[in-house]
């Protein structure tokens, strides 16, 4: 596991974008796993800049998003499909048909989740999975207690996640309480994983993920099993970490 501690969010975005761009340039039909939320926005801004100023080409890139709320359309401003279009896809030369976000309106969620797994497999698997982390250690919408071997599934959001996400909705009652999410097992199948974290409110979850015991109580701790994980975290998200090797 590699841990890169950077000064601020802008530096986190630049460092992460360099890693993603290197992968995209090394492989045609690069399969990129994506996350939503506040954390990856500096990464997406930097990728857009690299596309505009340095010609970073998205035309053959394939993307799979981690998750989507259940019960809201992709046209809803708080849906993750809408977020991805607004924050990245609408600003680069990606083929929208090659961008995949779970369908939160699927009639048969179970069947859809199985299909999502097959679609990922048919593309040869995810080459690089971008992750954020919840203050409770969740990755995707895999809340504490989720099986470390889980596959794409429908899940209920915890009260703390609903509360964290309510800042983006008019009132807390508007926040969906269920989501479709890649499972922890699905995430661990990616060739490489890039976890981003910024802010003091993430410091404990980051420390638990990197140097705590591997436990479903902190879903991100499962990343310790993966051979190719990079954490890019800001200084304020690194304050609870103890290990000297991390700071070397
Ligand atoms: C979003 C996702 C979530 C977020 C996490 C952190 O697709 O999978 O796990 O990464 O909730 O969210 P932010 O970045 O808003 O703090």
């Amino acid at each position: 596991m590699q841990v890169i501690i950077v000064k601020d969010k802008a530096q986190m975005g630049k460092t992460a974008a360099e890693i993603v761009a290197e992968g995209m340039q090394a492989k045609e039909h690069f399969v990129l796993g994506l996350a939503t939320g506040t954390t990856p926005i500096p990464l997406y801004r930097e990728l857009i800049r690299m596309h505009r100023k340095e010609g970073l080409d998205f035309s053959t890139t394939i993307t799979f998003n981690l998750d989507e709320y259940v019960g809201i359309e992709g046209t809803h401003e708080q849906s993750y499909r809408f977020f991805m279009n607004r924050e990245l896809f609408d600003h680069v030369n990606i083929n929208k048909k090659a961008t995949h976000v779970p369908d939160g309106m699927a009639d048969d969620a179970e069947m859809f989740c199985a299909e999502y797994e097959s679609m990922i497999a048919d593309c040869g698997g995810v080459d690089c999975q971008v992750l954020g982390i919840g203050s409770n250690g969740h990755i995707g919408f895999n809340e504490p207690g989720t099986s470390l071997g889980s596959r794409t599934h429908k899940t209920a959001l915890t009260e703390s996640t609903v509360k964290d996400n309510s800042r983006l909705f008019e009132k807390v009652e508007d926040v969906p309480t269920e989501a479709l999410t890649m499972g922890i097992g699905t995430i661990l199948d990616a060739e490489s994983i890039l976890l981003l974290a910024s802010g003091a409110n993430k410091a404990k979850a980051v420390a638990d993920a990197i140097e705590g015991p591997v436990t479903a109580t902190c879903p991100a701790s499962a990343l310790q099993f993966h051979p190719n994980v990079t954490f890019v975290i800001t200084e304020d998200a690194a304050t609870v970490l103890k290990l000297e090797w991390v700071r070397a």
Side-chain angles (χ1 to χ4, degrees), residues 35-40 66-67 80 131-134 138-141 167 202:
T36 58
T38 314
T39 314
L66 282 167
D67 43 18
Y80 288 176
L131 296 176
I133 184 170
H138 74 223
I139 47 175
F141 270 128
R167 67 189 189 279
K202 301 292 174 71

Side-chain angles (χ1 to χ4, degrees), residues 75-205:
T75 49
H76 188 293
E77 277 194 26
Q78 297 310 334
S79 75
Y80 288 176
R81 160 56 73 182
F82 192 92
F83 173 99
M84 287 313 306
N85 289 345
R86 186 187 62 214
E87 298 299 335
L88 182 64
F89 301 153
D90 284 345
H91 311 284
V92 294
N93 65 331
I94 200 159
N95 172 7
K96 282 257 180 82
K97 291 206 175 87
T99 67
H100 307 87
V101 180
D103 179 5
M105 296 300 286
D107 288 335
D108 185 337
E110 207 174 312
M111 193 194 286
F112 177 83
C113 291
E115 277 167 15
Y116 203 65
E117 291 275 336
S118 303
M119 283 191 278
I120 296 171
D122 289 348
C123 291
V126 172
D127 290 303
C128 176
Q129 177 66 56
V130 174
L131 296 176
I133 184 170
S135 56
N136 63 3
H138 74 223
I139 47 175
F141 270 128
N142 296 288
E143 300 284 17
T146 307
S147 157
L148 301 185
S150 53
R151 311 302 308 184
T152 303
H153 62 286
K154 179 166 151 177
T155 185
L157 310 189
T158 62
E159 238 178 87
S160 83
T161 298
V162 171
K163 203 166 140 251
D164 280 356
N165 292 1
S166 65
R167 67 189 189 279
L168 303 168
F169 289 80
E170 255 178 46
K171 36 189 192 335
V172 73
E173 299 78 58
D174 293 343
V175 186
T177 54
E178 290 181 315
L180 303 184
T181 181
M182 283 187 199
I184 298 172
T186 320
I187 292 169
L188 291 177
D189 279 351
E191 188 66 27
S192 65
I193 294 176
L194 181 57
L195 187 145
L196 310 183
S198 59
N201 61 326
K202 301 292 174 71
K204 170 137 189 351

